[in-house]
Amino acid sequence: MRKIRKAVFPVAGLGTRFLPATKANPKEMLPVVDKPLIQYAAEEAVAAGMDVLVFITGRNKRSIPDHFDKAYELESELERRNKHALLEIARNVLPSHVTCVYIRQSEALGLGHAVLCAKPVIETGEPFAVILADDLIDGGRESCMEQMVRVHAETGCGLIGVEEVPREEVSAYGIIEGTRRNDRLWDIRGLVEKPPVEHAPSNMGIVGRYILDYAVFEHLERAEAGSGGEIQLTDAMAAQIVAGQPMCAYEFEGRRYDCGSKLGYLEANVEYGLKHPELADAFRDYLRGLAGSL
Ligand code: UTP
């Protein structure tokens, strides 16, 4: 089984649900406590063994490369002030063996189109990961992508991360139709993007974690704009399955925060704050006091 070395991060969406915060900054740079969403995603990929990070950027692209680059002025200033702990944080955003590649998606034509922009850096036959940083997943002992890489090595199957979603929310998700193979794995028969609740084939919703095969590019190239006028990754994966290239859905272990929505983003900040080594105690006391006054 070929090792998965590359992770693609589509970060070129408009992030309209977070305006005005996303007017001049990508939503993936929003911090949860003290780290931007994109850094959690990059750390998840590196923990899963990936060493080439491919960012599909759009307008307002500068802050993401700046975040992962060396910051000479900041580092020399922290050194001059003897702020060694902070210097380590600024220096170690990514380990030195990791390479970052930036590709521009000139128009926000949809997630499928963003993934297609990665084609020049993926080799024929090479499996690769896609991580949507606005789905922040706390996998506990094993991150979501580590779980998926392990399952991919066991099954050899292209994988889509899924979770059970409330029936009334299926129309906000890509939904799978399939047969359960075991506790966490499904064989997929079909996929549908944002179905009306009465036509949804299940309530297993697609989340922002994928292990895709190079073959998906062929279907993305043929794809026409689907739901919402965008080129949908779900439609290309569905075409791939129809063409006889099977994919599985993996129900990951852990808790997902939908940080593309304001409520999910606030929940993530509260729960990561409660686990933060410097803040946990003081923040818990604060929340207890606040809850008492509500
Ligand atoms: P969303 O569907 O969440 O869209 O994109 P969005 O534009 O980011 O946010 P809203 O809905 O307007 O608030 C899912 C993921 O796909 C990326 C986004 O950056 C996000 O990670 N994306 C989406 C692109 O990279 N390019 C696109 O053309 C569309």
Side-chain angles (χ1 to χ4, degrees):
M1 180 62 52
R2 203 164 160 175
K3 183 173 172 338
I4 300 173
R5 289 193 52 202
K6 294 173 189 160
V8 175
F9 302 90
V11 291
L14 298 178
T16 53
R17 284 171 290 169
F18 266 97
L19 281 168
T22 47
K23 192 170 169 223
N25 248 319
K27 91 176 143 186
E28 290 79 4
M29 281 302 290
L30 293 173
V32 168
V33 186
D34 51 8
K35 238 192 255 183
L37 286 167
I38 192 64
Q39 191 177 332
Y40 288 98
E43 287 174 0
E44 186 178 333
V46 172
M50 291 156 210
D51 58 3
V52 180
L53 310 185
V54 183
F55 299 91
I56 311 300
T57 66
R59 60 177 204 105
N60 306 325
K61 64 168 183 170
R62 264 197 39 205
S63 56
I64 290 181
D66 282 353
H67 180 73
F68 289 110
D69 265 1
K70 196 170 170 62
Y72 291 101
E73 281 174 21
L74 174 66
E75 287 186 19
S76 57
E77 192 55 33
L78 291 172
E79 216 157 2
R80 197 180 62 76
R81 295 189 199 173
N82 285 324
K83 305 264 187 191
H84 298 295
L86 294 177
L87 183 61
E88 281 312 292
I89 292 174
R91 272 193 184 145
N92 295 324
V93 165
L94 278 179
S96 56
H97 71 279
V98 171
T99 304
C100 294
V101 178
Y102 299 94
I103 296 178
R104 178 94 180 207
Q105 183 192 23
S106 46
E107 259 184 288
L109 296 177
L111 173 61
H113 181 258
V115 171
L116 181 57
C117 292
K119 188 181 174 197
V121 295
I122 309 289
E123 290 163 29
T124 312
E126 182 180 14
F128 62 98
V130 174
I131 299 183
L132 305 189
D134 55 354
D135 267 341
L136 177 63
I137 299 181
D138 181 357
R141 276 173 298 118
E142 197 184 21
S143 72
C144 180
M145 199 36 87
E146 283 175 285
Q147 297 171 39
M148 288 176 68
V149 165
R150 176 171 50 73
V151 173
H152 179 259
E154 286 161 11
T155 61
C157 196
L159 289 180
I160 304 177
V162 292
E163 75 174 3
E164 212 170 310
V165 296
R167 195 86 207 165
E168 63 279 9
E169 288 177 23
V170 292
S171 60
Y173 286 85
I175 297 290
I176 68 157
E177 179 181 4
T179 327
R180 212 182 247 287
R181 198 192 284 189
N182 62 34
D183 260 13
R184 302 205 166 269
L185 205 61
W186 298 67
D187 288 301
I188 303 178
R189 273 196 308 280
L191 298 169
V192 44
E193 185 62 30
K194 302 190 171 68
V197 63
E198 61 280 14
H199 293 135
S202 74
N203 65 340
M204 298 307 291
I206 299 177
V207 303
R209 298 291 183 281
Y210 310 81
I211 293 180
L212 300 176
D213 192 80
Y214 186 86
V216 77
F217 292 128
E218 186 189 319
H219 300 285
L220 283 169
E221 274 163 343
R222 280 201 225 127
E224 289 178 7
S227 166
E230 298 189 328
I231 295 183
Q232 298 289 350
L233 180 59
T234 306
D235 294 345
M237 294 187 301
Q240 189 178 334
I241 292 162
V242 169
Q245 296 150 340
M247 290 195 78
C248 293
Y250 175 69
E251 213 178 325
F252 64 90
E253 212 167 318
R255 160 85 156 100
R256 178 181 71 102
Y257 301 89
D258 175 8
C259 292
S261 81
K262 287 174 199 161
L263 185 60
Y265 177 70
L266 289 175
E267 288 169 3
N269 272 286
V270 170
E271 293 191 37
Y272 277 64
L274 285 170
K275 279 185 274 189
H276 193 285
E278 276 166 34
L279 293 176
D281 293 342
F283 191 45
R284 182 168 292 106
D285 289 347
Y286 164 73
L287 286 179
R288 281 205 180 109
L290 186 67
S293 68
L294 290 178

